[in-house]
Amino acid sequence: MKNLDKILNKEELLKEDILFLLQLREADKIEMLQKKAEEVRQIYFNDEIHLRGIIEFSNFCIRDCFYCGLRRSNKKVERFRMSKEEIMVTAKLIYDSDIKTIVLQSGEDLFYTKEDIAEIITEIKSQYDVAITLSLGERAFDEYDLWRECGADRYLLKHETANRNLYHQIHPYQDFTNRIAHLKYLKNIGFQIGSGNIIGLPNQTLEDIADDILLCNKLNVDMASFSPFIHADNTPFANVENCDMQLLLNTMAVARLVLKNAHIPATTALATLDEEGREKGILAGANVVMPSFTPTPYRGNYLIYKDKKCISENPKQCMPCLDLRLMSIGVKVSHSHGHSLKT
Ligand code: SAH
């Protein structure tokens, strides 16, 4: 206990400390870790949780990630693309729900040209006082430039795993160095960047997870998302076991201690893994929730992983449910834009 207390009160955690904390399994020790993570969250964010309304506007993807249900080799997916008009109607719904960040996410779908995306950004920005996060995968640098000029604020591109060999095993045709170069470029041209990993990948070690947290720190990310691996049908990992919940919560709590004022979401994947996943994530240091506003029936086809939460609900039903859940654990929804606290 004394040792744990000493580690939890260190200003800067070393890799060996991180490894020690990730392995905690006794209830009283986990409680100490989570308390500390909550304390750090409160220093920077009080009891405020930021909401990001997400529009998953296309499930077409040119990539073939082994874990993802949207991979191009999965012929069983009914593919969809939303029109610009549909995206604008959904953006209004998010704005009308008093959410000040709109996340535009899709598979890597080159059908939408640089100009198409620019037009959508410009139109949303001209109509609504919101921040825009893009999560479109790897695109050309000049495309990032234009989208930034049009007013997009943030870009979410997870490094997925800091283990270069593992990265190459599960991402055919993609390159780890290149992915990191994209993140650095995005940061350089003024985007607030989000990265992060997936936890529970085959052959992933605790050391890899420690490296993921340290890499996020090194990249000075504004947001870091640690999601549990959940198997998706018709993928090479369809039979791999889902992520261990405690390992995920420990990772989130340690990430809060290391990354301090970065935004950390309690992901939908976490809510899928556990009925009270979002609440547990917040109690482990998360300060962001990303409710999906993808219209039905499209949301039922954006199945990155199996049994994704809330796929049959109408987006309008989500907000009251979320409000209640947040209230029940003593936090409240922020109505600010929730920009980065990093300088
Ligand atoms: N195509 C975009 C974003 C869409 S996917 C991109 O490549 O950035 C968003 C995130 O879902 C991915 O970054 C990945 O971390 C996560 N994801 C995909 N499949 C998953 C699975 N089976 N379990 C958990 N998370 C998964």
Side-chain angles (χ1 to χ4, degrees), residues 205-217:
T205 64
L206 281 185
E207 203 176 331
D208 294 338
I209 296 173
D211 286 338
D212 286 325
I213 298 173
L214 290 167
L215 178 58
C216 285
N217 200 27

Side-chain angles (χ1 to χ4, degrees), residues 110-291:
L110 301 175
F111 172 86
Y112 297 87
T113 62
K114 150 169 130 174
E115 290 76 20
D116 289 335
I117 300 293
E119 233 179 84
I120 295 167
I121 297 167
T122 306
E123 193 149 336
I124 293 177
K125 279 284 184 176
S126 71
Q127 294 196 27
Y128 307 117
D129 175 25
V130 290
I132 294 182
T133 302
L134 301 176
S135 175
L136 315 177
E138 292 168 32
R139 298 281 299 236
F141 283 12
D142 67 306
E143 299 187 296
Y144 298 145
D145 290 338
L146 177 66
W147 300 338
R148 178 78 191 115
E149 279 160 28
C150 293
D153 301 270
R154 310 180 190 138
Y155 208 101
L156 173 57
L157 187 74
K158 293 171 68 179
H159 68 265
E160 315 292 3
T161 172
N163 177 330
R164 182 182 295 271
N165 288 334
L166 180 57
Y167 184 92
H168 290 136
Q169 279 166 31
I170 61 180
H171 298 106
Y173 328 114
Q174 280 177 278
D175 180 70
F176 180 74
T177 306
N178 189 43
R179 190 126 179 129
I180 301 301
H182 278 245
L183 275 164
K184 288 184 177 162
Y185 186 83
L186 288 160
K187 181 105 185 163
N188 264 335
I189 61 169
F191 275 103
Q192 298 168 38
I193 56 165
S195 190
N197 73 351
I198 301 177
I199 300 174
L201 294 166
N203 301 323
Q204 185 185 42
T205 64
L206 281 185
E207 203 176 331
D208 294 338
I209 296 173
D211 286 338
D212 286 325
I213 298 173
L214 290 167
L215 178 58
C216 285
N217 200 27
K218 196 166 141 205
L219 292 169
N220 194 22
V221 298
D222 304 280
M223 188 275 241
S225 166
F226 303 90
S227 25
F229 167 78
I230 302 179
H231 50 233
D233 287 339
N234 310 305
T235 62
F237 290 170
N239 295 319
V240 173
E241 236 181 87
N242 288 344
C243 172
D244 172 65
M245 184 71 179
Q246 196 55 55
L247 175 59
L248 178 77
L249 293 174
N250 285 2
T251 306
M252 289 172 70
V254 177
R256 170 58 69 211
L257 303 189
V258 174
L259 305 176
K260 302 201 161 63
N261 61 355
H263 292 292
I264 299 179
T267 61
T268 306
L270 177 52
T272 301
L273 198 63
D274 185 300
E275 172 55 30
E276 293 184 340
R278 280 199 182 117
E279 293 86 331
K280 289 182 183 170
I282 290 168
L283 295 173
N287 73 307
V288 168
V289 174
M290 299 169 72

Side-chain angles (χ1 to χ4, degrees), residues 87-99 128 293 295 314-316 319:
I87 294 173
M88 287 310 297
V89 169
T90 314
K92 180 173 186 323
L93 200 60
I94 295 176
Y95 182 75
D96 288 345
S97 304
D98 211 7
I99 294 181
Y128 307 117
F293 281 75
N314 179 308
K316 280 187 186 153
M319 290 310 292

